[in-house]
Amino acid sequence: MTAGVVRIALVAGEASGDLLASQLIEAIRGRLPQAVFFGIGGPRMLGKGFDAWYPLEKLAVRGYAEVLRHFREIVAIRRGLRRRLLADPPDVFIGVDAPDFNLGLERALKRRGVTTVHYVSPSIWAWRGERIHKIGAAVSRVLALFPFEPAIYERQGIPVSYVGHPLADMLPLADARDATRELLGFPEHQAIFALLPGSRQSELQYMADTFIETARRIHDAIPDAAFLVPLATRETRSMFEAARQRCAAEDLPLRLLFGHAHQAMMAADVVLVASGTATLEAALLKRPMVIVYKMAPFSAWLMRRIGGYLPYVGLPNVLAGRFVVPEFIQDDATPANLAQAVVNLYADRGVRAALQTLFHSLHLQLRQNAADKAAQAVIGCLPVAVREHAGPAAG
């Protein structure tokens, strides 16, 4: 090891992990300026000086059918990464989410004496609860984003730190609806709906047509309705535009945006959103929502076979411990069902106000200065000699 250098390996498997890891890198470097970071990451991590041995996009696949198509390549990447890390071990390894990729890698490293941290608890509270024993064998410490998670690990004797959710630190507590509408050129009282069909091409493949047909039905019920559709990449925008043509929906008032998902949600009265991190973003922006998810039929069949422990999948419902917003999954996610739920929510001002109050409370609970707490936990996992060797800035 180079004198004074702390070597930290990270693996992030998708865009949300790239964001978490980039903030963590910045927070750690504020305490350990000598730290170097390497492994698998995305553009935000690269912007913080991260050395990417493999691009994040290689791991950013979702659903069993999709993973199977890329299985050989993913296994080869993990094997190569493991070989390289075992040959020259880092001072600490941090797996950022992506448990199916990271836990096996962490277990191999931990067996060789490498300190391993898993940032973002796998959703053992929702399904695959038996995996907690695998987690215990793989990690030196779990960094949990949600306040109900530490007790689950503490019961099993697994070291855990609650750090809060970085999105709660990033997003404003105050409602910026009116200012955002003015910025986007919408009148204060117009009915506006945000459509978020997902950030991955595989999600657009299964949901773009459904979202467009749902928008058509909403527009039939609310003729002055306008729709904001933020899309993450050129590829997903092209897929959505193709679906719009396929559905003969060129006349629908759909405004497609490059990114700007937060602005779209802030301006909206109701959000129709694919299950995932975007549901938490909508809640933190105090927006009523309807949650939807569709995937490859084989993936859905396998999910049903495995089963789950909670009756809901959306993060706002998980955090509330009950159904507070509607969810429609797979065959239930029809345009008729979705449009009816969105229109009903739009029409009920009392329910929308209650949701906004609830989401404000959730925001306060999750706002913990997560990157700073996570950095403290990671540095606390380093051997004392390594921290002292790094110099006074280790703090």
Side-chain angles (χ1 to χ4, degrees), residues 139-151:
V139 305
S140 305
R141 180 166 293 271
V142 174
L143 306 183
L145 305 191
F146 300 124
F148 61 85
E149 294 174 321

Side-chain angles (χ1 to χ4, degrees), residues 261-339:
H262 291 167
Q263 288 87 342
M265 288 190 276
M266 281 191 283
D269 294 296
V270 179
V271 177
L272 180 66
V273 56
S275 180
T277 304
T279 65
L280 179 62
E281 293 175 295
L284 293 173
L285 292 167
K286 325 301 181 300
R287 282 298 164 268
M289 74 192 81
V290 173
I291 297 172
V292 56
Y293 207 76
K294 299 176 79 171
M295 63 184 77
F298 174 72
S299 297
W301 174 82
L302 195 53
M303 289 280 284
R304 285 194 296 268
R305 291 276 295 180
I306 293 172
Y309 296 95
L310 295 178
Y312 25 72
V313 298
L315 284 171
N317 292 331
V318 172
L319 286 166
R322 56 191 173 91
F323 277 106
V324 294
V325 297
E327 295 181 0
F328 296 90
I329 308 300
Q330 207 63 13
D331 294 341
D332 291 331
T334 65
N337 287 345
L338 296 172

Side-chain angles (χ1 to χ4, degrees), residues 169-381:
D169 301 320
M170 293 171 53
L171 297 177
L173 280 171
D175 189 339
R177 173 184 178 275
D178 293 344
T180 306
R181 285 187 170 216
E182 184 177 354
L183 180 67
L184 295 174
F186 287 106
E188 180 182 348
H189 298 295
Q190 184 172 2
I192 298 177
F193 302 91
L195 308 180
L196 284 86
S199 60
R200 301 176 182 85
Q201 294 181 50
S202 60
E203 291 173 322
L204 269 291
Q205 178 183 351
Y206 293 106
M207 288 190 279
D209 289 35
T210 297
F211 271 64
I212 291 168
E213 293 296 346
T214 299
R216 191 197 306 277
R217 289 170 179 263
I218 294 170
H219 192 255
D220 288 344
I222 307 172
D224 76 329
F227 303 89
L228 296 172
V229 190
L231 296 160
T233 65
R234 293 185 184 277
E235 290 77 14
T236 53
R237 183 185 177 104
S238 295
M239 291 180 72
F240 194 88
E241 288 175 335
R244 187 178 188 175
Q245 292 180 349
R246 189 165 56 247
C247 296
E250 289 88 348
D251 294 337
L252 273 180
L254 301 170
R255 184 190 293 187
L256 275 59
L257 307 173
F258 271 122
H260 300 293
H262 291 167
Q263 288 87 342
M265 288 190 276
M266 281 191 283
D269 294 296
V270 179
V271 177
L272 180 66
V273 56
S275 180
T277 304
T279 65
L280 179 62
E281 293 175 295
L284 293 173
L285 292 167
K286 325 301 181 300
R287 282 298 164 268
M289 74 192 81
V290 173
I291 297 172
V292 56
Y293 207 76
K294 299 176 79 171
M295 63 184 77
F298 174 72
S299 297
W301 174 82
L302 195 53
M303 289 280 284
R304 285 194 296 268
R305 291 276 295 180
I306 293 172
Y309 296 95
L310 295 178
Y312 25 72
V313 298
L315 284 171
N317 292 331
V318 172
L319 286 166
R322 56 191 173 91
F323 277 106
V324 294
V325 297
E327 295 181 0
F328 296 90
I329 308 300
Q330 207 63 13
D331 294 341
D332 291 331
T334 65
N337 287 345
L338 296 172
Q340 187 65 58
V342 170
V343 170
N344 288 348
L345 195 49
Y346 173 76
D348 197 328
R349 291 179 179 272
V351 170
R352 284 194 281 149
L355 282 173
Q356 289 168 337
T357 299
L358 171 64
F359 292 158
H360 184 82
S361 297
L362 289 177
H363 197 157
L364 291 174
Q365 194 174 25
L366 295 175
R367 196 169 202 169
Q368 299 286 325
N369 196 3
D372 189 67
K373 284 193 171 182
Q376 290 180 41
V378 169
I379 292 169
C381 289

Side-chain angles (χ1 to χ4, degrees), residues 32-103:
L32 299 177
Q34 306 89 338
V36 295
F37 303 87
F38 49 86
I40 299 179
R44 289 188 173 94
M45 296 166 70
L46 292 173
K48 302 297 182 182
F50 182 79
D51 180 11
W53 294 351
Y54 301 93
L56 171 149
E57 289 76 16
K58 294 293 185 181
L59 306 187
V61 292
R62 189 171 188 176
Y64 291 104
E66 293 75 18
V67 169
L68 285 174
R69 283 199 292 270
H70 298 273
F71 181 75
R72 293 181 65 181
E73 183 181 21
I74 292 171
V75 168
I77 289 172
R78 185 165 68 176
R79 187 179 297 122
L81 183 63
R82 180 176 57 197
R83 184 166 49 245
R84 191 168 176 179
L85 292 174
L86 289 174
D88 188 12
D91 294 304
V92 63
F93 174 89
I94 307 169
V96 185
D97 208 357
D100 290 322
F101 184 92
N102 278 324
L103 288 176

